[in-house]
Structures are given as C-alpha cells and as structure tokens.
Amino acid sequence: MIRVAIIPGDGIGPEVMTGVIPLLDWSRARGRELEWVTFPYGADHFLNTGETLSDRHFADLRDTFDAILFGAVGDTRIPDGRHAEQLLLRLRQGLELHVNFRPCRPFLAIHIPLKDLQPDEIDIEVFRENTEGPYCLRGRTEEELAVDEAVHTARAIRILLATAFEQASGRACPLTLAQKANVLKHGHGLWIRIFKELCADYPSVAAETMHADALLCALVQNPRRFGVIAADNFIGDLTSDLLAGFQGGMGMAPSASWAPHRPFRCNALFEPVHGSAPDIAGTGKANPVGMILSTSLLFRHLGWEEEAARLHQAVGEVLRSGIATPDLAGSATCQEVQRAVAKVLG
Ligand code: IPM
Ligand code: MG
C-alpha cells in the first residue's frame, strides 16, 4: 500500500489541492493501492500552535509515508516566512531530497511568449539541487552588515549531477551545468570539478558548463538547443521560473523532488513551482495545472506510467478545448479546470 501525505498549505494551496483528490480516487479505481492522509501544516497551524512541523510530526511523515503532495506555503500574517522555512525547507533538507526536477514542456503555442516557437520545439528539464547553497539558512544580520552563507557538499552535488547525467544520456540531449564559478570560486568551483569527473563516466553525453547569466540569455534567444540543465539551489530556482514563463506562467509548472539514494521510507515530494499567491486565494482564479501535473509526476515516480501519461494528456486536452484560468486568458475557474480534467479521465 502506497501512503501519500497531503499538505495543502497556505493561500491557493488548499484550492489547487482539492482537485487532486478525484485524481487519486481515479488511480484507486484502476486498481492502484493508495491511501492518503491530509495534514494541516501551514500558517494557521503555526499561528495556533506556535510550531509548523514538530519533530514528532516530521518523523511520522518520514517513516510512515512514501511520498508527499505539497500545495504552497506563504502567508502575509507571517512576513518573514519562518513557518515556510520550518515546513518546506525542512522537508526538503530533512528528507535529503537533493534532486528537484522541473520540466518545461509547453502545451500550446499561445502559451509561449517567444515568437515562432511550437510546443514540440521546447523540451527542457531543470535538475536543481534542492537542499544546499544559500538555502542552508546560515547567516546573520548585524547593524550594517548582513551575511548569507552558501554551503555546497560534494555528496549532494554528486547525487544531483549523477541524476542529471543519467537523464541526459537516456534522452540523448545536451546537458548544461549553470554556474558562476567566475565569482563563486569555491562553491561553483566544486560543482565544476564534480561535473568534469562525471563527464568521464558518461562519454556519450554532450556536456557543457555555462555561466548562468549567459545561459539565461541564451535560453530566451534559442531554447531549442537546450535539453537538461543542472544547477545549484539558487540558480535552479531562478532558471525554473524563467522556464515557467515559457509554459504559460507560474501556474503551469510542476515539480518533483526526490532522494535517489533512498535514505528514508518517504523519499519524494511533489509540488507546483508557484507560491501561495495570497492575493488571489479564494477567488477561483488559481491555475490548478501545476498541481495536477505534479500529481502526474507522482504517478510516474510510483512507476504508474499509464496513469501519469493519461493525466498529462488529459490536461493537454482540456487546455486545447479552451478551458483555462484567467492567467492563460481563459474564463474558467480553478474548480472548472479541475472538473474538466477529471471528466476527461472518466
Ligand atoms: C520554489 C519556491 C521556494 C524556493 C520558496 C517558497 C522557498 O520559490 O519552490 O521554487 O525558493 O525554493
Ligand atoms: Mg522558486
């Protein structure tokens, strides 16, 4: 029995998550053995109890579930975002989810803001290291001085890069390492050293390193030439948002995080790339596609290839029929898109 923990979180998180339940029910009706438990962790829980995720609750997630479906986190009542740190970053770090996979495969030409590009000309996958760099949360502020440290370990880099090389070799596409070793000599110097070591293990992969700033410019000018992009946590964050822009915006982009070395029972987390968007929460304007595609990535992770593919296709069918939320210039609500996808699945 696969056990999934559902954490809807804050803002639009609960509304985009609501539409996931019928998808899980659908997989169950097809004979998949799946059960789930929904947890309240998020801003309300934090404000009521003073904690986001206790050690006991974290251990329960880690040891008694197989995967987590995550909505969004962030609330204007907690402006410094400390509850988010204790929740999302803690899960990523505590579960050693070093790999964050963010694919960019646009559905419709009208979603692509670049001219003369068809959806099948863009197939880019970002592999972002998910636990380190400036996200290690070591830093300090003194009166007129602020320091954020960025920590990079060879272990995490190797885990991330090995996964990216494996993917590029399977796809027979180029692999580009985004780095700024011209400035970040230590951290990104280590990334380049390990990248070169792995090049020797994957002679068939067309591997290159690029300065991240130049890479972003080249991505906008000629996205066709890219396949797999590997990056550290911070550059991967920026790159994946740029690529969300190629797919119709933040609401469209899914992500999957996992621990290829499987240190715990719970070794994967699926979340849309977008945030909690408090300004539109409860208005029905949230785009549920990123969350639905993240559920498709969960199915793929579980080895349920057919369910994953059918869910992905159902989203395409709904979008092609013109049913879309206002961020895609449509007039449907979040719920209407969710219902339309469930209906296509039957
Ligand atoms: C993301 C988000 C998060 C990040 C925030 C909410 C901490 O932007 O998943 O990309 O920066 O990783
Ligand atoms: Mg981000």
Side-chain angles (χ1 to χ4, degrees):
M1 177 68 73
I2 299 293
R3 299 191 76 226
V4 173
I6 295 187
I7 304 177
D10 303 333
I12 61 171
E15 46 203 289
V16 297
M17 193 64 86
T18 305
V20 165
I21 307 301
L23 310 176
L24 302 181
D25 273 331
W26 169 76
S27 75
R28 234 173 17 184
R30 292 170 52 83
R32 297 303 189 179
E33 297 198 342
L34 176 74
E35 63 182 30
W36 59 88
V37 180
T38 301
F39 292 96
Y41 311 133
D44 284 335
H45 183 75
F46 175 78
L47 292 169
N48 292 335
T49 65
E51 66 185 9
T52 312
L53 188 62
S54 67
D55 290 345
R56 188 170 57 82
H57 289 149
F58 172 73
D60 179 48
L61 291 173
R62 182 190 61 200
D63 301 332
T64 69
F65 287 87
D66 298 282
I68 298 171
L69 277 167
F70 195 93
V73 68
D75 189 291
T76 48
R77 292 169 296 171
I78 312 164
D80 66 3
R82 62 190 185 286
H83 75 299
E85 225 167 73
Q86 291 167 22
L87 182 58
L88 185 57
L89 300 193
R90 174 150 196 222
L91 288 171
R92 290 175 181 172
Q93 289 167 359
L95 299 173
E96 298 182 25
L97 304 175
H98 292 301
V99 176
N100 180 225
F101 169 69
R102 296 188 161 182
C104 171
R105 287 188 202 97
F107 282 98
L108 302 182
I110 51 160
H111 295 161
I112 310 173
L114 305 171
K115 66 175 167 13
D116 301 334
L117 268 171
Q118 292 308 310
D120 61 2
E121 292 179 290
I122 303 183
D123 187 355
I124 303 173
E125 297 172 317
V126 173
F127 285 81
R128 164 190 181 189
E129 201 290 320
N130 211 21
T131 66
E132 299 191 337
Y135 286 71
C136 65
L137 305 175
R138 292 187 204 169
R140 63 183 200 280
T141 307
E142 293 163 14
E143 288 298 313
E144 298 283 314
L145 170 76
V147 177
D148 289 303
E149 290 180 29
V151 173
H152 302 265
T153 67
R155 179 171 179 271
I157 298 170
R158 264 194 203 103
I159 290 174
L160 186 274
L161 287 181
T163 309
F165 267 96
E166 205 47 53
Q167 180 75 357
S169 107
R171 276 184 59 188
C173 73
L175 168 62
T176 309
L177 172 67
Q179 45 78 22
K180 276 291 283 182
N182 51 344
V183 182
L184 307 175
K185 293 201 166 45
H186 302 281
H188 287 187
L190 184 61
W191 274 82
I192 291 186
R193 193 189 94 201
I194 294 169
F195 189 77
K196 287 192 174 146
E197 284 169 20
L198 279 158
C199 282
D201 298 338
Y202 292 88
S204 69
V205 173
E208 60 177 350
T209 76
M210 277 182 85
H211 288 147
D213 43 2
L215 167 67
L216 295 185
C217 178
L219 267 174
V220 173
Q221 290 184 312
N222 186 11
R224 293 180 188 88
R225 93 156 189 74
F226 293 97
V228 172
I229 295 173
D232 82 345
N233 207 346
F234 191 39
I235 291 176
D237 183 39
L238 306 183
T239 309
S240 59
D241 277 22
L242 178 85
L243 292 174
F246 291 1
Q247 303 167 73
M250 296 292 292
M252 297 292 285
S255 87
S257 302
W258 70 88
H261 54 308
R262 295 183 167 261
F264 307 111
R265 172 166 178 188
C266 187
N267 57 40
L269 181 148
F270 302 83
E271 55 170 328
V273 170
H274 66 69
S276 61
D279 52 322
I280 58 163
T283 64
K285 288 187 187 154
N287 185 341
V289 169
M291 187 74 240
I292 296 172
L293 294 176
S294 301
T295 309
S296 166
L297 294 179
L298 163 70
F299 291 163
R300 179 149 296 141
H301 171 80
L302 295 173
W304 305 353
E305 292 293 338
E306 198 185 327
E307 283 83 356
R310 279 193 53 191
L311 184 49
H312 194 272
Q313 282 155 14
V315 170
E317 203 174 314
V318 167
L319 292 170
R320 275 190 297 277
S321 77
I323 300 172
T325 43
D327 52 317
L328 298 173
S331 58
T333 62
C334 176
Q335 240 195 0
E336 283 164 352
V337 174
Q338 289 165 332
R339 275 201 296 258
V341 171
K343 194 166 162 215
V344 170
L345 291 175

